């Protein structure tokens, strides 16, 4: 009966048999490689796992710890080299382009066309979700990196108000340190140093300088008096971190703010996921505000699930994963927990808390004004090789290996040799 139907449609018996076994054996599972292993991150991912499980799709989890995803990218390379790519991989910006160039990614055009993704995903994200005009990834969120996360009890106790300029920030940090707290909770890992650095750079040089230095990698901007000042300010901030900062994971630094051991953390809004996961409430227990001097500008990154070419039997589950990620209800439920904002422009801000609503509004405003820029530290400003070259200089300087003038010079050399 089943085969007869194919025969009538002009398909040979052998082919029909092969198709029917393929249909019978359709692999309704997805394997997802990601680095969401911190408490708030894992909780957010649970939303997606549940969503798929309800559709009968089994989730095979492949977590690779390490904020920013460097370790995850190393594991991915090994998997693809051995011909065993996962269904989907969490990825950032320029890494997506690199993988697309290798011709190993799936084509999601049919699904994207049917669901009208083009109309609801902003251009800044489509720049990475599409390659050569074809959809290759489903954007999960928009994070932004120029935030400060502050312990409200410490601010209240010391009578501090939210700093809006560099000088106000330093005055607050002095008071926090003077009261015996760690002023800045920081984890000495290259990507965290770079996250702090790009906020300081934006605050010091403004949006035009950010673009010239971090996106255009203009040598005159990289080795300039402004850049020397940025490095000097990094040295200044270094004096407010505790002795054990080296190598600390970002979420442990967030925990220091949550537990009233430290005053502030400079971190992307995934930090909010940790506060929420600890039962903390914005404006009551903690505060979120833009890094002083960067108000009105937003440095962003977007986590995308990049789909790899998989066998025909796994395509259905892969499409279900992509469709689930792009559904407006998922985009709301996930991002409310994760600390990010939706990757679609048509999701209501209603379910979001005060920080989330602020984030959504500021993102839209910055986009409108032309002050929305890709985050260098999170792979949205320059290709990975250049990013890593910048990381090396920033971290070496933060750890006292270079003075500020040498660091600015080294930045030019490092970027040139990586290009
Ligand atoms: C970022 C990523 C975020 C968050 C963070 C720390 O690069 O975009 O989603 O996970 O790393 O792990």
């Amino acid at each position: 009966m089943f085969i007869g139907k194919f025969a009538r449609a002009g398909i040979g018996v052998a082919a029909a048999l092969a198709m029917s076994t393929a249909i019978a054996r359709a692999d309704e599972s997805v394997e997802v490689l990601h680095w969401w292993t911190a408490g708030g991150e894992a909780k957010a991912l649970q939303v997606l796992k549940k969503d798929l499980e309800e559709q009968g799709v089994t989730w095979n989890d492949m977590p690779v710890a390490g904020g920013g995803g460097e370790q995850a990218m190393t594991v991915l390379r090994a998997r693809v080299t051995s011909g065993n790519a996962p269904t989907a991989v969490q990825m950032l910006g320029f890494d997506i382009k690199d993988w697309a160039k290798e011709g190993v990614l799936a084509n999601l055009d049919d699904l994207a066309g049917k669901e009208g993704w083009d109309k609801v995903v902003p251009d800044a994200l489509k720049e990475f979700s599409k390659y050569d005009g074809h959809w290759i990834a489903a954007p999960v969120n928009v994070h932004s990196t120029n935030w400060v996360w502050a312990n409200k009890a410490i601010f209240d106790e010391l009578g501090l108000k939210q700093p809006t300029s560099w000088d106000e920030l330093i005055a607050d940090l002095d008071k926090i340190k003077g009261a015996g707290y760690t002023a800045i909770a920081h984890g000495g890992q290259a990507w965290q140093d770079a996250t702090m650095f790009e906020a300081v750079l934006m605050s010091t040089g403004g949006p035009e300088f950010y673009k010239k230095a971090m996106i255009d990698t203009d040598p005159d901007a990289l080795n300039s008096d402004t850049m020397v000042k940025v490095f000097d300010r990094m040295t200044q901030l270094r004096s407010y971190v505790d002795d054990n900062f080296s190598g600390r994971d970002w979420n442990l630094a967030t925990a220091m703010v949550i537990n009233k051991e430290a005053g502030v953390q400079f971190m992307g809004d995934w930090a909010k996921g940790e506060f929420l996961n600890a039962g903390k409430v914005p404006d009551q227990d903690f505060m979120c505000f833009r890094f002083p001097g960067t108000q009105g500008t937003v440095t962003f990154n977007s986590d995308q699930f990049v789909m790899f070419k998989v066998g025909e039997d796994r395509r259905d589950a892969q499409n279900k994963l992509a469709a689930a990620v792009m559904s407006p209800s998922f985009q709301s439920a996930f991002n409310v927990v994760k600390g990010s904002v939706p990757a679609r422009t048509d999701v209501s801000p209603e379910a979001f808390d005060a920080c989330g609503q602020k984030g959504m509004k500021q993102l839209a405003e910055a986009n409108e004004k032309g002050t929305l820029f890709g985050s260098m530290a999170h792979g949205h400003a320059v290709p990975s090789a250049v990013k890593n070259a910048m990381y090396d200089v920033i971290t070496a300087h933060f750890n006292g290996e270079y003075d500020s003038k040498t660091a600015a010079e080294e930045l030019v050399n490092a970027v040139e040799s990586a290009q």
Side-chain angles (χ1 to χ4, degrees):
M1 168 78 182
F2 187 49
I3 291 172
K5 219 164 53 187
F6 284 114
R8 278 195 299 279
I11 296 169
V13 173
L17 265 176
M19 277 173 78
S20 64
T21 21
I23 290 165
R25 283 214 209 113
D27 181 356
E28 287 295 298
S29 70
V30 289
E31 190 190 13
V32 184
L33 197 161
H34 63 89
W35 64 91
W36 284 332
T37 54
E41 294 175 324
K43 196 165 179 183
L45 195 58
Q46 203 51 41
V47 178
L48 186 58
K49 288 185 192 170
K50 226 177 114 237
D51 211 334
L52 285 164
E53 269 157 22
E54 277 165 15
Q55 297 185 57
V57 177
T58 309
W59 179 281
N60 294 320
D61 206 34
M62 211 191 158
V64 181
E70 259 182 284
Q71 287 89 323
M73 290 304 104
T74 309
V75 171
L76 174 63
R77 173 61 61 196
R79 285 285 305 262
V80 178
T81 307
S82 65
N84 183 22
T87 318
V89 180
Q90 176 194 358
M91 223 183 268
L92 296 171
F94 279 86
D95 283 329
I96 306 178
K97 285 185 193 279
D98 284 347
W99 281 104
K101 272 183 214 142
E102 297 196 22
V104 288
L105 303 187
N107 181 325
L108 302 172
D109 286 352
D110 284 350
L111 180 67
K114 206 166 67 195
E115 301 205 334
W117 295 359
D118 256 311
K119 291 192 290 282
V120 292
V121 176
D123 288 347
L125 304 194
K126 269 193 272 193
E127 170 68 22
F128 302 105
S129 325
K130 291 174 91 168
Y131 184 73
D132 234 357
H134 301 295
W135 284 91
I136 48 172
V140 187
N141 60 20
V142 186
H143 271 301
S144 76
T145 57
N146 55 324
W147 286 107
V148 181
W149 304 92
N151 181 294
K152 181 138 187 323
I154 295 182
F155 270 61
D156 288 349
E157 194 175 285
L158 304 176
L160 308 178
K161 46 177 201 27
Q162 291 178 18
T164 55
S165 64
W166 179 261
D167 290 344
E168 285 178 18
L169 172 67
I170 296 300
D172 282 358
L173 293 175
D174 279 336
K175 289 194 188 123
I176 299 169
K177 190 174 171 183
Y181 299 106
T182 296
I184 303 173
H186 182 64
Q189 295 174 346
W191 72 270
Q192 294 187 62
D193 298 342
T195 303
M196 178 155 40
F197 174 86
E198 70 183 17
V200 173
L201 187 145
M202 182 66 89
S203 171
T204 310
E208 257 175 59
F209 181 73
Y210 183 92
K211 181 172 179 298
K212 271 195 203 135
M214 296 289 94
I215 295 174
D216 304 338
T217 62
D218 173 353
D220 292 338
L222 291 175
N223 186 10
S224 61
D225 291 347
T226 308
M227 190 60 83
V228 173
K229 189 168 173 194
V230 173
F231 279 114
D232 278 345
R233 286 181 162 186
M234 287 296 283
T235 307
Q236 211 176 341
L237 294 184
R238 171 78 171 73
S239 68
Y240 296 104
V241 309
D242 68 330
D243 290 343
N244 299 320
F245 81 101
S246 189
R248 175 187 287 136
D249 286 332
W250 69 273
N251 52 317
L252 300 181
T254 312
M256 291 167 69
V257 179
I258 294 175
N259 299 332
K260 210 179 167 223
E261 288 159 40
V264 296
Q265 181 185 23
F266 307 134
M267 188 45 64
D269 40 16
W270 45 90
K272 193 186 77 179
E274 294 300 296
F275 283 95
L276 300 183
N277 196 37
K280 303 295 180 193
V281 179
D283 294 337
Q284 201 173 298
D285 303 309
F286 68 97
M287 299 182 297
C288 56
F289 49 91
R290 291 292 169 184
F291 189 90
T294 72
Q295 300 88 331
T297 59
V298 172
T299 42
F300 81 96
N301 66 309
S302 163
D303 294 300
Q304 309 219 13
F305 277 131
V306 176
M307 304 296 162
F308 278 72
K309 275 185 186 154
V310 291
E312 220 19 73
D313 57 332
R314 289 165 67 198
R315 283 285 292 180
D316 182 57
Q318 185 177 56
N319 276 332
K320 281 186 178 146
L321 170 62
V325 164
M326 291 306 292
S327 92
S329 59
F330 165 77
Q331 291 267 336
S332 177
F334 174 89
N335 288 305
V336 159
V337 181
K338 181 71 166 66
S340 35
V341 305
R344 300 175 60 115
T345 50
D346 60 347
V347 178
S348 158
E350 216 174 295
F352 289 79
D353 61 28
C355 295
Q357 294 198 356
K358 198 159 30 172
M360 278 172 97
K361 190 164 165 280
Q362 292 173 350
L363 179 73
E365 284 168 2
N367 189 28
E368 195 112 307
K369 277 200 324 198
T371 53
L372 173 66
F373 298 98
S375 153
M376 179 280 290
H378 295 269
H380 282 66
V382 283
S384 292
V386 179
K387 176 191 83 174
N388 291 331
M390 286 185 174
Y391 274 12
D392 288 348
V393 177
I394 294 163
T395 289
H397 169 269
F398 198 65
N399 292 309
E401 280 173 50
Y402 298 136
D403 61 27
S404 299
K405 211 170 155 297
T406 312
E409 286 162 12
E410 282 304 319
L411 212 44
V412 177
N413 296 338
V415 167
E416 264 171 17
S417 49
Q419 267 162 349

